Structures are given as C-alpha cells and as structure tokens.
Amino acid sequence: IQIDGTGVAIDFGVDSLTAIANKINTAGITGVAASVIATTDPNTGASRQQLQITGASTPALTDSNNILSNLGVLQNTPTNELQAAKDAKFKLDNIDITRSSNSVSDVISGVTLTLLKDTGSPSTQINVTTDTASIKKNIQTFVSQFNQLNKTVTDLSQFDPETLVAGPLFGDVNTQNVLDSLTDIFTNSVSGLTGSKVTLAQLGIKLDSAGQLNITDADLDSALANDLSQVAKIFKSVGTTTDSSISYISSSEKTKAATSAGYAINVTQLATQASITAGTVHTADDNASTEVLTFNGGQFGTSGKTLLVNPNSTLDGLISQINGDTIIGAAVTASNVGGKLQITAKQYGSSYAFTVSSSQAAAGNNSGIGDTPLSGTGLDVAGSINGEAATGKGQFLTGTAGNATTDGLQLRVTSTAPGTKGVLNFTQGIASQARYFAIASTDFISGTLSQYTHSLDTQVTDIGTQIKDLQDSLKAQETQLRSQFAAMEDAVTKIKAAGQGLAALTNISK
C-alpha cells in the first residue's frame, strides 16, 4: 500500500494487525499514525480488533489490492462528504442541551421530544398536563376487578334453600377470610397517611350492602382535579424524606408503614467509587510503540478488556480514547488529575472494583500506569433505618430481611458526609396493600390460599386412596362370595344327585 506516496509492505502471511500498525508508524509518514483499536460488531455484539489510520489531514491512500478495505481501516475521511454529522442542540427553559439523537427522552420525566428541524430560535411552547382520564380509567378497572372477585366468591358460596344445592365454596372459611381481608384494606384509612383524604370513601369510592364498591364520579373527578398527589398516596406506596440526600426507591410486602414520627435514617459509611491514579506524570507525547492497557473486573467480563493506545498520544488524547471506547467507557471515566491519568468507576460500591495494567513500564510518555496492575476498590454505603440493620450495595441501603418494620425498604444515599439524615415518612397505599396481600396469600410455600389448596389436594388424594381401598375390598368380597356361591351350587348338585339315588333305591325296594 502507499500512504501519502510512501510505500508500506504488508505480508498477510506473517503480519499481525499490531505489526502492520508498527510498520506504518515506523515509515515516518508526516502527520500519519496507525493503531489497533477494539470495536464491537453492531450485528452480533462480539468484540473485534480493527486497524485505524489517522492523520492531521486526509492522507492519500493507494489500496489497489483492497488490503486496507479488508483490514477494516477506520477514519478514512470521505473525499466527497456532503454534510458532516452533528449532534442535536436545543434549549429547554433557556438551558442549552446537546444530544446525539433527535429523539430525546431524558430531559423531562415521562416525556419524549422529537426534534424535526432547526428553527433558529425558540418557537414551541410545550405544555405537559396530567392525563386524569387515564388515571380515572385505571381506578375504575381496579374497582371493577375487586367487584368481580367479590361476586365470584359470593356466587360460589350460596345455598339454595329450594333445591338444597350448595355452592362449592359454601361454608368455606378460608376464602371468606381472604375476601374479608381485602374488604378491610379497601375500607380502612391508609396507615400513617395525613391530609384531608386518607380513605377510598373520601375519593367517592364506597362499599354498599352487597359488598360491592361504587364510584361517585363527581367526587372522584374533584379529587383528581384538585388533590392528585393525595390520590396517588392513597393508592401506592410513597416515601418522603426530610433530607434531600436521601431518596426513597422501593419497598416490599414486608415493609411496614411508618408511624407519625417516621423512620430515622443513620448513615455510618458513604459509598465510594473505585478509582486508580497513574504513578507517573505524563510529560511527553513521543511514545511511538503501541501500549496496551488491560482492564479487569466484573464490568469487563471474565476475560477483561484491552485498549491499544494510539502512538504518540497526548494525555488528553488517551483520556478521550478511554472514554470513547464503547465497552470500557461505559464502565469507567478517565480524567486528568495534576498531569496524571486517573480512572474512576462510573458506579458506586465494592461490586465495581477493577484493575488496570499496561504492557509498558510506567514512563512520562505513556499512560504512567505501569506493568504492575493498579487496583481500585469502592465502598458500599452502610447504616440503619428505624434503628434496624440495613444492607448496603453501592449507594443503595436496603432494610435487611427479617426486620420488623423495614424489611425490603430501599433508599438511595447521595450524601457527602455520614451521620443522622432525618427521617423517612413511609405509607403503603391501598393498591400496594392489595398487591402485597395477593402475593402473600398465593406464595407457593407459605401463602394461605396455597396452603389451603395443598390441603384440599391432600384430601382429594386421601379420598382417592380410600375409594381405591374400598374398591379393592369390594372386589375381594365379590371374589369370596362368588367362590362361596360356586361351592354352594356344587353342594346343591351333589345333594340333588344323592336324592335321585335314594329315590331310585326306594323304587327298587318297592
């Protein structure tokens, strides 16, 4: 091949990609550098290596044998470029925003913006409103499902005094207890919730004498229009904190509603990010040989990931190469700290520990990492919730299984200092309570309905066994009776024969 008029001899029989890159770099072509980079196949997701040739200007390439094409050379600037690619730029509430796509879904929660053209100046007013019609429809469906459950259980539990026919659930205490428990959930106030509305009845959803829930549309519409946040609290699990560095994430069916005092939060250890810093300051950009950085850790897979550093890289160029790698850059962030390369995990906690090593000894003209692996280890947050032990993973603090009140309660801690972090006010809304009750009741091992079902299955099996035993006993009795009957018939036949013999003797004697 020829690059800017300089010939480079390549032998596919013996030359590796690294050897080819070294040949190009040692050819001394002004402004031209070659390297081997790791890429990801967009179709299969597999990792592969590619030769990359870059230059201060577009190098003239002579590739009559399609060698460079076969090698997958990147960044060969097109000679007939119609339009350079650009990121989308726009303003939202006078804030400048840049995105790589024209479809933007991460600037307004729950809203996707599609950018269609460059208007040159702000021209669109976006009004985001709450879809109360859909919320009301979901509430109506929720009520309808409960009513259907109530009707089904009632129908199957009836007794007809005229026909004396009873439904299969007539007198079934377990099923009735489940229905009664759900009814209690729907008619009681939400524990720990304060405000003008704490029950379904205050939203216009009331229980009638038949055990059915009925919605008064005017009352529900008014609540949705004037107090939507309170409506949400009545239905779902809600956690609010008095410290902005603590965020409620989730809860489980075992998490109990807090009292009016709330759950005290105490952080004894903050989460940290794993990080390593090169031991040598970068002072020169004349490293002509290829340096290979090897990253190991859970986020890099079982075999780790390698990065071939571009020859003659500046520190900023190396940082850009690390951050721009599709796999490595997704796990860590590289930066310049006092002239040294620093690499930090993007995620918090001990699960994101990693090591980095170089194929070269640390020097001022390379990464400065050195050929002895540098290790970075993060810490998990530690602390307690409501005085109960909590388990930390990264920035997430979760109530330990078996806790009396906070089992499964998860918080995110972004504080910059340990200590007491206010309180969490936690309530479990009616929909959450119903969902968790259903989960608990139908748990395969401990659920009341599951245990009852297993009990009925056992009874059915036992009755089946009893029926089989009775059938076997009847067959044995039948066999015995048939045997006795046959013996009796044989005896009768013999008696008849004897009688006939006696009759003959009597006739002779006469």
Side-chain angles (χ1 to χ4, degrees), residues 44 58 95 120 129 149 168 189 236 244 271 336 379 397 435 469 483:
T44 65
T58 304
I95 299 175
T129 59
L149 172 64
S189 60
K236 68 177 186 178
S244 61
N336 181 343
L379 297 175
L397 196 61
R435 173 175 175 268
D469 291 342
S483 176

Side-chain angles (χ1 to χ4, degrees), residues 127-207:
N127 296 309
V128 181
T129 59
T130 303
D131 186 3
T132 54
S134 294
I135 296 174
K136 182 178 179 180
K137 183 177 179 181
N138 289 336
I139 293 175
Q140 290 171 331
T141 301
F142 181 75
V143 169
S144 175
Q145 292 297 321
F146 170 77
N147 288 340
Q148 182 60 52
L149 172 64
N150 179 70
K151 183 177 185 302
T152 299
V153 172
T154 301
D155 291 346
L156 294 176
S157 303
Q158 288 183 344
F159 175 77
D160 190 334
E162 295 183 0
T163 62
L164 302 181
V165 175
L169 295 180
F170 176 71
D172 188 295
V173 177
N174 292 277
T175 308
Q176 189 59 48
N177 284 342
V178 168
L179 186 59
D180 290 344
S181 296
L182 283 173
T183 302
D184 288 342
I185 291 174
F186 292 154
T187 54
N188 290 338
S189 60
V190 177
S191 178
L193 184 61
T194 59
S196 59
K197 295 178 176 62
V198 295
T199 66
L200 283 182
Q202 291 169 329
L203 301 182
I205 305 172
K206 299 178 181 179
L207 198 72

Side-chain angles (χ1 to χ4, degrees), residues 10-17 20 65-68 70-71:
I10 296 175
D11 184 351
F12 272 165
V14 296
D15 289 341
S16 65
L17 286 183
I20 295 172
N65 292 323
N66 294 322
I67 291 174
L68 296 177
N70 291 333
L71 291 175

Side-chain angles (χ1 to χ4, degrees), residues 81-89 98-102 115 118:
E81 184 180 89
L82 299 179
Q83 181 176 347
K86 296 180 180 179
D87 287 336
K89 296 181 179 180
T98 301
R99 290 293 185 271
S100 60
S101 171
N102 289 325
L115 309 178
D118 181 0

Side-chain angles (χ1 to χ4, degrees), residues 17 40 54 75 87 123 150 213 256-257 300 307 326 399 443 477:
L17 286 183
T40 302
T54 59
Q75 293 185 240
D87 287 336
S123 61
N150 179 70
L213 290 173
K256 300 296 189 296
F300 302 109
L307 179 74
T326 55
D443 182 86
Q477 287 185 329

